[in-house]
Each structure stands twice: as C-alpha cells, then as structure tokens.
Amino acid sequence: KRQVRDVVIPQRRMLVAVVRELLGDAAPESAADLCALSIAAQGLFLSMSEGVRNELARQQEFEDQTIEALADHITDFSLAGIRETRRRSEEEES
C-alpha cells in the first residue's frame, strides 16, 4: 500500500497532467485518464516476468529491439493516439 501511495499514485497524477495538457481543453477528463492508462499498460506489459517477456520476444521477433527502441515506439504510438483523441474532442466541441 505504501508503494502505491508514495510512488504509483504520484506518477499516475503526473502522467494524467501531461496527457491532459496534450489533449487540450476540449477533451473530457475521462479521455486523459484512459490515455494515461493505455500508456502505463504498455510499460506494464513489457515489465512482466523475465521468462514471459523473453518468450513473447522470441515469438514476436522483437528480441533485437533495445529498450530505447521500444520506448520510442511507445512514445510515438501514444502521441498518435493522444493527437487523434484531441482531434475528435475538438471536432465534437465545434
């Protein structure tokens, strides 16, 4: 519980705040929460136990990917999703 209170919750709040800023004022708060959850889930998936991660890497042929390459992909993918969410929110507002 202490780790959740002292680490996870503050990190989540920071991530939601950054996503909220990127989404703009037209997007509902729930959109920021969902985008932040999606970003965190990608990292959590890759941080599963080493054995599971290695087997998935072998099957999906990304074992040669560096941590930096995976981080770049998650960043690019997430920013594209945030841009699309922002575009839809602004479209709905007008």
Side-chain angles (χ1 to χ4, degrees), residues 8-9 11-16 19 32-48 74-75 77-78 82:
V8 175
I9 291 173
Q11 287 180 351
R12 180 190 171 283
R13 285 184 182 142
M14 285 191 304
L15 180 57
V16 170
V19 170
D33 287 334
L34 289 172
C35 288
L37 177 64
S38 294
I39 294 166
Q42 292 175 81
L44 287 171
F45 179 78
L46 292 173
S47 70
M48 289 188 304
I74 289 170
T75 300
F77 189 83
S78 298
I82 290 168

Side-chain angles (χ1 to χ4, degrees), residues 19-20 23-32 85-86 89-90 93:
V19 170
R20 155 87 12 243
L23 285 173
D25 295 334
E29 191 62 34
S30 60
T85 301
R86 180 180 181 136
S89 296
E90 289 173 346
E93 188 176 69

Side-chain angles (χ1 to χ4, degrees), residues 41-81:
Q42 292 175 81
L44 287 171
F45 179 78
L46 292 173
S47 70
M48 289 188 304
S49 77
E50 187 176 350
V52 172
R53 188 173 55 246
N54 289 341
E55 183 59 30
L56 288 172
R58 277 193 292 281
Q59 289 182 13
Q60 297 180 13
E61 299 182 7
F62 61 74
E63 68 267 10
D64 293 335
Q65 295 289 332
T66 64
I67 295 295
E68 292 83 11
L70 290 170
D72 288 345
H73 168 74
I74 289 170
T75 300
D76 292 345
F77 189 83
S78 298
L79 287 173

